Amino acid sequence: MRMCLNAVKMKNRLLVFLVLIGLISSCYKEEVVTIPRPDGWTFSTHSNKAQPDYEIVFPQNKVNKLYIDIQSDDWASMQLDLEALYGGGPGGPGGPGGPGGFPDEKPITVKSQIHLNGLQWYDVGIRYKGNSSLQFAYNNGKSKLPLRLDFDYFEDVNPLIDDQRFYGFKELSLSSNIMDNSLLHEKVASDIFRSFGVPSAYTAFYEVYIDKSDGNGYVYHGLYTTIEVVFDTMLNRHFGSESGNCYKPDGDGAKFSSYASFSTTDFEKKTNAQNSDWSDIQNLYDVINSTDRLTNTEQWKANLETVFDMNGYLKYLAANTVMQNWDTYGLMTHNYFLYNDPADNKLKWIPWDNNEALNDDKNNALDFDFGTVVSNQWPLIGYVYGIPEYKTIYDNYIDSFIAGPFNPSVVNPMYQDYHDLIYSSVQNESGDYTLLNNFADFTNSLSAQQNHCNSRNIQADVYTP
């Protein structure tokens, strides 16, 4: 009898708890509400069974507000670690470290409590992320730094958050929009890539507030662009599978040049990390550098297209070149993923980190004809563009790109809409929590971005008359 009464009491408590959640959520406006989580209960928004909710996490017509709580000692540890990694200039006090002169180690991950829409996510892993975007801002005394969230990072020490998800997402990347007065590059570039059929992450604008347990409450850290993590949900969304090998290349080997011998260390696995098979990437490297290219071009092309989605890559290359991008393959050895799609066993190219796209301030962005590219140093441009058939496909994609998703009639209203959407969020940035020299740089950026689109269309049309 006592056991039955206890069961009824537990059931009634749970019902009361659910009613309270409904009341709190319905009254929620700007304030942060911490909802205690009872043992054994899993929110549908927190469970790994929840399907990714793109409308909530990546809204296209609103700015989300994310509140983050970090204990003071954890916050202090993050800053000390940052000083150790980057305090001494490139590569930190020890000098150049990993690819590009940046440290090999990632910044430390600490616990945080995340709030959105009146709900709390518990013991979420948070760390700083990035290379130049992190180092440049940090060494210039800025506190608006790029962040990475991992919602079940601490599940081993807190079983209650086992497989915790954020409306179906395990990880999120928060870009600080550095080197971008418009704060639109990351957002617009990813939108345009997807519109053109290039695999690309979803993005959305977030105001980020952080309470460091120092008595100052939530401090506005500025407007961020939140980016879908490729190997978390994007692979399934775009390819319908995440079982293939997904690589994040970086370092000399990521050029695929014969001047740098193949090394697995230049191709970090983001899926199937426990499997020591890199044969798909090795095959691509071997085919690209095969002498067949000079002695039997048709065989070289056939071999290349067996292991690599050449058509998809040429589509990306055309779009990326028209938009202009300084921090990209042909200039840098990172900012792309390769995914071995089980549907056809071909490696697919996925662009990443687009804050330097849509930018005509960089004099060394790639030319339409890649005249400044040394072929044997960047063979996936130099060798490919040297094949007449591939050049024709690339040229045709440029024509369709400027006639479609990058036409001023499409892009310039998009710039206007997003500029208006984030206007107040950018205006409210201040002190060390803005990367702008002044607010006028933002207001003037709208016409600059629209003029850039107009100019690139004209230049592309001249290249392919």
Side-chain angles (χ1 to χ4, degrees):
M1 183 67 178
R2 181 177 298 176
M3 291 180 63
C4 292
L5 289 173
N6 288 339
V8 170
K9 289 179 181 179
M10 289 293 292
K11 183 176 181 181
N12 289 338
R13 288 173 184 171
L14 182 57
L15 289 172
V16 170
F17 176 75
L18 291 173
V19 170
L20 287 173
I21 289 177
L23 290 172
I24 292 172
S25 298
S26 65
C27 296
Y28 178 76
K29 293 181 180 178
E30 294 297 333
E31 69 274 13
V32 174
V33 181
T34 299
I35 303 173
R37 176 178 177 175
D39 291 350
W41 177 257
T42 303
F43 293 112
S44 62
T45 52
H46 293 56
S47 169
N48 68 341
K49 294 182 175 61
Q51 293 299 308
D53 194 327
Y54 285 89
E55 290 187 7
I56 291 181
V57 179
F58 293 102
Q60 302 302 294
N61 57 0
K62 65 173 288 190
V63 178
N64 273 341
K65 296 188 177 184
L66 193 72
Y67 295 88
I68 304 173
D69 292 271
I70 304 176
Q71 292 298 310
S72 57
D73 55 345
D74 285 333
W75 179 259
S77 296
M78 290 178 71
Q79 311 320 305
L80 288 172
D81 179 66
L82 206 56
E83 171 66 21
L85 292 176
Y86 291 99
F102 300 107
D104 287 312
E105 313 96 298
K106 289 182 173 66
I108 63 169
T109 299
V110 303
K111 290 180 182 179
S112 69
Q113 314 307 316
I114 302 296
H115 311 263
L116 181 76
N117 298 334
L119 297 177
Q120 177 175 340
W121 282 260
Y122 300 80
D123 293 352
V124 177
I126 186 170
R127 66 172 174 86
Y128 292 119
K129 77 170 191 74
N131 288 321
S132 58
S133 59
L134 176 57
Q135 181 186 13
F136 180 84
Y138 174 74
N139 286 340
N140 281 276
K142 299 297 183 179
S143 299
K144 184 185 179 184
L145 303 175
L147 299 166
R148 188 67 166 258
L149 302 178
D150 188 333
F151 287 85
D152 67 358
Y153 185 89
F154 288 104
E155 64 182 4
D156 289 345
V157 295
N158 182 357
L160 289 176
I161 64 164
D162 185 44
D163 287 338
Q164 179 175 232
R165 295 294 184 268
F166 183 77
Y167 290 101
F169 296 86
K170 179 184 183 299
E171 297 187 42
L172 292 175
S173 179
L174 278 68
S175 169
S176 60
N177 299 306
I178 195 169
M179 310 298 287
D180 175 13
N181 288 336
S182 74
L183 284 78
L184 297 180
H185 293 170
E186 193 79 62
K187 182 78 184 74
V188 172
S190 65
D191 286 359
I192 293 173
F193 273 134
R194 288 197 317 278
S195 180
F196 197 48
V198 175
S200 183
Y202 265 93
T203 54
F205 297 114
Y206 276 67
E207 291 182 2
V208 174
Y209 300 82
I210 301 180
D211 186 337
K212 311 170 186 73
S213 304
D214 56 3
N216 293 319
Y218 288 104
V219 175
Y220 181 42
H221 276 236
L223 181 77
Y224 284 70
T225 300
T226 295
I227 308 168
E228 180 184 16
V229 173
V230 167
F231 48 89
D232 179 20
T233 52
M234 201 219 86
L235 296 179
N236 249 333
R237 172 177 58 77
H238 186 89
F239 300 104
S241 169
E242 59 183 17
S243 61
N245 291 336
C246 181
Y247 301 95
K248 188 179 183 184
D250 199 359
D252 287 341
K255 294 181 178 181
F256 287 95
S257 169
S258 60
Y259 283 87
S261 59
F262 177 82
S263 173
T264 59
T265 59
D266 294 329
F267 297 93
E268 180 186 2
K269 272 192 172 185
K270 292 299 185 178
T271 60
N272 305 322
Q274 304 305 316
N275 188 335
S276 59
D277 181 12
W278 274 260
S279 59
D280 44 10
I281 288 288
Q282 176 81 64
N283 289 340
L284 178 58
Y285 176 88
D286 291 341
V287 169
I288 290 171
N289 293 288
S290 168
T291 57
D292 284 343
R293 182 178 62 87
L294 300 175
T295 61
N296 190 343
T297 304
E298 290 304 313
Q299 185 61 55
W300 183 79
K301 288 165 51 184
N303 292 340
L304 182 58
E305 292 170 23
T306 298
V307 298
F308 186 57
D309 178 17
M310 180 55 68
N311 188 69
Y313 170 72
L314 291 170
K315 179 183 284 191
Y316 148 79
L317 189 63
N320 192 63
T321 305
V322 172
M323 287 193 290
Q324 289 193 303
N325 192 343
W326 170 76
D327 200 6
T328 188
Y329 181 86
L331 297 165
M332 295 291 167
T333 62
H334 51 225
N335 289 342
Y336 68 94
F337 288 84
L338 286 169
Y339 179 60
N340 192 341
D341 185 358
D344 57 12
N345 292 318
K346 293 183 181 181
L347 288 161
K348 309 291 177 69
W349 192 280
I350 304 170
W352 180 252
D353 200 355
N354 297 304
N355 70 293
E356 294 279 14
L358 301 163
N359 186 352
D360 63 357
D361 293 335
K362 301 294 184 180
N363 294 325
N364 59 346
L366 297 171
D367 298 326
F368 286 107
D369 64 359
F370 307 110
T372 60
V373 173
V374 180
S375 295
N376 56 7
Q377 291 187 9
W378 301 97
L380 274 175
I381 290 178
Y383 292 172
V384 167
Y385 189 76
I387 302 294
E389 178 186 343
Y390 292 155
K391 179 184 180 302
T392 298
I393 297 173
Y394 164 80
D395 290 351
N396 289 338
Y397 273 134
I398 285 181
D399 285 338
S400 59
F401 188 59
I402 61 174
F406 200 67
N407 190 271
S409 65
V410 176
V411 176
N412 288 343
M414 184 190 305
Y415 277 134
Q416 181 71 64
D417 290 344
Y418 284 151
H419 180 86
D420 294 344
L421 177 66
I422 66 174
Y423 188 94
S424 62
S425 299
V426 178
Q427 189 175 35
N428 290 334
E429 291 188 342
S430 62
D432 294 339
Y433 301 105
T434 182
L435 300 174
L436 298 170
N437 292 323
N438 51 69
F439 186 63
D441 286 345
F442 170 73
T443 58
N444 295 333
S445 70
L446 175 60
S447 59
Q449 291 297 150
Q450 292 175 332
N451 290 337
H452 174 261
C453 178
N454 298 337
S455 174
R456 290 305 286 174
N457 270 259
I458 293 171
Q459 294 170 45
D461 199 42
V462 170
Y463 167 71
T464 58

